[in-house]
């Protein structure tokens, strides 16, 4: 009897610690797989960086060989992979082939515009999706529900680059209401005028992002509200004399928010990587346009680093969603 008693007396690993450790370990393994994939994926992309950067110039064979040696492309593939892994682990992403500056400086310079665009689009899309999804789910089958759902599903199915080009043709090139691209206009001075000018340039790219993304939040919120409409606690709340609006606001919405909040966290990482097409269409000076310009060369240090950044943002946000959801829903902790 002493053996089982002693075993029961030994402290075990707390479930919360085990849960956290498992999620962090999964995230690290995923990030390692992304790093390996990033190296070999862009090695099979057609194109020679040296030939692309010297196209149209009169260069000798010795100069071409010197450029390959400078870029490290003359090294055997295993040596290149070892240097790449060491650089990634020390956050040294190397030197850009075309810009001739450290890749980390390029990423730091372009990160702000991308976060501004992605952050504004995510906040607006989430608010719009939550409001319209709540209204559609609470009034299921109404004309408003059918119209909102139809518009959302139509915009969700439209490619973002096509919608962006359409907005440029109609509202920028055609009507002249908004700039066709860029983040700022030349000659604008002063903090207030610069902020207004940047907001003016953001209208079309943010509208494109919101139109494509908000439908996800709306449909999830609508489905969650529908699941709650027949719950017994709502019937009890109505029996107590609460008005329909109060029942929705105090009881139905807080419980229906959980899946949508989780989706917001999951999509935060994808939004950062998903702005590549939008930034390219609107010439927005962010990470997406930097990735596109690097892919055309190909500028291997740039595209490899950005691939890891984009995929890493998805992994980190998935990890945060796994960690936040038990805090929002106590049932997950049991």
């Amino acid at each position: 009897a002493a053996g089982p008693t002693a075993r029961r007396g030994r402290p075990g690993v707390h479930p919360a610690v085990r849960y956290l450790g498992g999620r962090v370990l999964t995230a690290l393994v995923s990030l390692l797989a992304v790093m390996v994939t990033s190296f070999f994926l862009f090695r099979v992309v057609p194109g020679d960086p040296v030939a692309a950067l010297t196209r149209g110039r009169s260069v000798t064979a010795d100069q071409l060989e010197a450029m390959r040696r400078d870029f490290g492309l003359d090294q055997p593939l295993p040596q290149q992979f070892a240097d790449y892994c060491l650089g990634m682990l020390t956050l040294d992403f190397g030197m850009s082939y075309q810009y001739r500056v450290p890749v980390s400086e390029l990423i730091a310079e372009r990160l702000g515009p991308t976060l501004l665009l992605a952050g504004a689009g995510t906040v607006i899309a989430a608010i719009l999706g939550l409001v319209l999804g709540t209204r559609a789910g609470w009034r299921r089958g109404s004309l408003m529900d059918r119209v909102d759902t139809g518009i959302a599903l139509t915009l969700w199915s439209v490619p973002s680059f096509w919608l962006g080009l359409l907005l440029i043709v109609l509202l920028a090139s055609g009507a002249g209401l908004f700039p066709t691209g860029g983040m700022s206009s030349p000659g604008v001075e002063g903090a207030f005028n610069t902020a207004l000018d940047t907001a003016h340039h953001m209208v079309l790219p943010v509208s494109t992002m919101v139109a494509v993304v908000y439908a996800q939040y709306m449909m999830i919120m609508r489905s969650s509200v529908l699941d709650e409409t027949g719950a017994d606690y709502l019937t009890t709340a109505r029996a107590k004399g609460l008005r329909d609006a109060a029942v929705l606001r105090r009881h139905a919405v807080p419980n229906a928010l959980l899946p949508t909040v989780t989706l917001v966290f999951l999509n935060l990482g994808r939004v950062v990587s998903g702005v590549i097409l939008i930034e390219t269409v609107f010439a927005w000076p962010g990470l997406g346009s930097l990735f596109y310009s690097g892919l055309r060369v190909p500028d291997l240090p740039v595209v490899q680093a950005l691939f890891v950044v984009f995929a890493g943002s998805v992994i980190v946000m998935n990890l945060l969603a796994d960690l936040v959801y038990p805090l929002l829903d106590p049932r997950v902790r049991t």
Side-chain angles (χ1 to χ4, degrees), residues 42-176:
F42 297 106
R43 288 303 187 282
V44 300
V45 173
D48 182 3
V50 175
L53 293 174
T54 57
R55 186 177 295 114
R57 302 178 184 178
S58 179
V59 292
T60 64
D62 292 338
Q63 290 174 325
L64 293 176
E65 185 62 27
M67 289 185 66
R68 295 184 189 278
R69 186 167 54 253
D70 185 33
F71 294 161
L73 298 176
D74 62 328
Q75 299 292 331
L77 191 62
Q79 181 62 43
Q80 294 184 38
F81 180 67
D83 295 340
Y84 162 81
C85 291
L86 180 61
M88 284 292 174
L89 293 177
T90 58
L91 298 182
D92 180 9
F93 301 131
M95 190 77 66
S96 170
Y97 294 166
Q98 54 182 335
Y99 298 103
R100 303 307 299 160
V101 296
V103 176
S104 56
E105 293 185 8
L106 287 175
I107 293 178
E109 178 184 345
R110 302 290 190 98
L111 182 61
T114 293
L115 292 180
L116 177 63
L117 182 63
T122 300
V123 170
I124 296 175
I127 294 175
L128 186 62
L130 292 176
V131 172
L132 295 181
T134 300
R135 186 177 67 174
W138 197 247
R139 305 298 181 189
R140 177 185 181 183
S142 63
L143 177 62
M144 179 176 54
D145 175 29
R146 293 194 296 269
V147 171
D148 289 345
T149 303
I151 293 176
L153 292 178
T154 300
L155 293 175
W156 196 4
S157 62
V158 174
S160 58
F161 71 91
W162 184 87
L163 182 59
L165 292 174
L166 182 63
L167 291 179
I168 290 177
V169 171
L170 295 178
L171 301 179
S173 300

Side-chain angles (χ1 to χ4, degrees), residues 259-271:
T260 309
V261 170
T262 305
L263 181 64
V264 170
F265 274 96
L266 294 177
N267 277 351
L268 282 176
R270 298 188 183 98
V271 165

